[in-house]
Amino acid sequence: MTPLVSIITVNYKQPEVTCELLESLSKLSYPNLEVIVVDNDQQYDNSFLYRTRLTSVKVINSKENLGFAGGNNLGIERAKGKYLFFVNNDTEIENGVIESLLSVFETHQDVGAVSPVLKYFDAPEKIQFAGFTEINPYTGRNDLIQTVSGPAVESTPYFHGAAVMVSKDVIDQCGQMPEEYFLYYEELEWSRQIRLRGYQLMVDKRVSVLHKESVTTGKNSPLKVYYQNRNRVHFMRKSKSTWLFFITFYLLISTPKNLLTHLVKRESSHLKSLIKAFKDGLIKPKYGFQPIG
């Protein structure tokens, strides 16, 4: 059987990058696909451009910037698939990925979501993601597993938002992506919510996706500094059993260290973003989109 799979990707002012993804999807042999592009903060329609790469693509234009989670949720509302495959627009997909991920659902009855391995687009011999470690209760961070070893299909505490397949039934039971994060940590929160309802999260090491990484936000941008810090506080606040450990570390070690680093490097914009993240995350929480600068 070949169940309908809805591929959902969110574009934010990177139509050329999205076109490269669509071109890779046009070469897939899986016979039962729908592809949905959600265009965030889009004032005009790029449907014609996208259809030059994939004629069957469905385009949803949002005049508002809904963020990563909100954009994907808009795609969820329109998707008709039994399985939804969320992929970043800065990825490229090869034949066999969809079939392999589907087989994990068929052989593991309690699986809620499956990610493929992620490899760096510019260095495909290097692995970016083959699973996650648990969140450190002090730092509020976790590590990427960047080696492939052990079972071909293995559980992970968190999936990677750049490429993950989730069944529609699981979404109906567990809810959509948590939109309060807007950008970063939403996949960790969604992973946590799915696990709390008794589902396993898996990594399929038999297949991989190429990831260009941080095309929209930049690898070291003030925007990334803001959302990663603000949302780390928000995520850990929900972990009530470890909140005291985290906030002590964050206030006494992490924040002073990062402030000093940005001062030494004369990164004034990053410094302002970090201070704003501190205020919005601890003093006056504001979730959803916040302009930086």
Side-chain angles (χ1 to χ4, degrees):
M1 293 185 63
T2 54
L4 178 63
V5 174
S6 300
I7 299 179
I8 300 173
T9 193
V10 177
N11 175 70
Y12 178 70
K13 303 186 184 303
Q14 294 283 346
E16 300 85 2
V17 175
T18 299
C19 281
E20 292 168 1
L21 166 63
L22 294 176
E23 190 164 346
S24 77
L25 297 179
S26 73
K27 300 173 184 176
L28 298 181
S29 59
Y30 187 79
N32 201 9
L33 287 177
E34 71 168 356
V35 178
I36 298 171
V37 172
V38 179
D39 242 340
N40 258 342
D41 194 18
Q42 185 69 356
Q43 304 306 312
Y44 54 91
D45 190 0
N46 269 333
S47 296
F48 177 79
L49 173 64
Y50 295 142
R51 287 174 184 144
T52 64
R53 306 301 179 94
L54 182 66
T55 56
S56 61
V57 65
K58 300 176 181 179
V59 181
I60 304 171
N61 293 308
S62 172
K63 292 185 178 181
E64 181 184 356
N65 184 0
L66 300 174
F68 181 74
N72 275 305
N73 287 342
L74 189 57
I76 289 171
E77 291 168 7
R78 303 285 184 88
K80 298 177 181 178
K82 182 177 180 181
Y83 296 94
L84 280 59
F85 189 20
F86 302 92
V87 295
N88 276 17
N89 72 318
D90 61 349
T91 59
E92 294 193 15
I93 317 298
E94 297 180 350
N95 259 323
V97 172
I98 290 173
E99 292 87 341
S100 190
L101 298 181
L102 285 173
S103 73
V104 179
F105 286 96
E106 293 170 0
T107 55
H108 296 74
Q109 296 302 312
D110 61 346
V111 67
V114 187
S115 282
V117 169
L118 294 176
K119 295 182 178 180
Y120 291 103
F121 182 84
D122 293 328
E125 72 281 0
K126 294 183 179 180
I127 293 172
Q128 180 193 13
F129 166 84
F132 274 122
T133 64
E134 287 281 4
I135 293 285
N136 184 299
Y138 291 94
T139 66
R141 298 180 184 275
N142 61 346
D143 293 321
L144 292 157
I145 296 171
Q146 297 179 304
T147 59
V148 174
S149 60
V153 178
E154 193 168 19
S155 64
T156 177
Y158 307 96
F159 55 70
H160 202 297
V164 60
M165 184 178 286
V166 187
S167 77
K168 183 61 165 57
D169 286 344
V170 167
I171 295 173
D172 289 342
Q173 292 177 49
C174 302
Q176 298 180 353
M177 283 193 188
E179 294 187 20
E180 73 265 28
Y181 290 88
F182 188 78
L183 188 67
Y184 297 119
Y185 274 83
E186 65 280 281
E187 71 220 65
L188 302 182
E189 181 64 45
W190 207 23
S191 294
R192 179 161 62 183
Q193 293 305 317
I194 292 173
R195 286 173 63 196
L196 284 172
R197 285 165 176 80
Y199 291 100
Q200 281 200 78
L201 312 177
M202 310 295 284
V203 179
D204 186 351
K205 302 176 188 175
R206 300 169 296 184
V207 288
S208 61
V209 165
L210 297 177
H211 187 203
K212 298 166 189 176
E213 194 188 19
S214 297
V215 168
T216 300
T217 61
K219 292 185 178 180
N220 182 35
S221 67
L223 185 77
K224 190 171 184 178
V225 167
Y226 174 76
Y227 282 108
Q228 283 193 332
N229 280 277
R230 187 199 69 175
N231 291 345
R232 180 159 53 121
V233 173
H234 183 46
F235 180 87
M236 296 304 291
R237 190 193 301 273
K238 291 188 173 185
S239 305
K240 295 180 180 178
S241 62
T242 60
W243 171 247
L244 183 60
F245 297 115
F246 167 76
I247 199 60
T248 301
F249 176 89
Y250 185 76
L251 290 173
L252 300 182
I253 299 175
S254 179
T255 298
K257 178 184 175 183
N258 289 331
L259 287 170
L260 182 61
T261 297
H262 294 312
L263 279 170
V264 170
K265 292 183 177 181
R266 298 182 179 180
E267 294 175 334
S268 59
S269 296
H270 294 72
L271 189 63
K272 290 177 183 177
S273 293
L274 183 61
I275 294 170
K276 180 174 174 60
F278 178 86
K279 290 179 179 179
D280 289 352
L282 281 176
I283 301 170
K284 189 179 180 182
K286 295 178 182 179
Y287 304 117
F289 174 67
Q290 295 297 318
I292 306 301

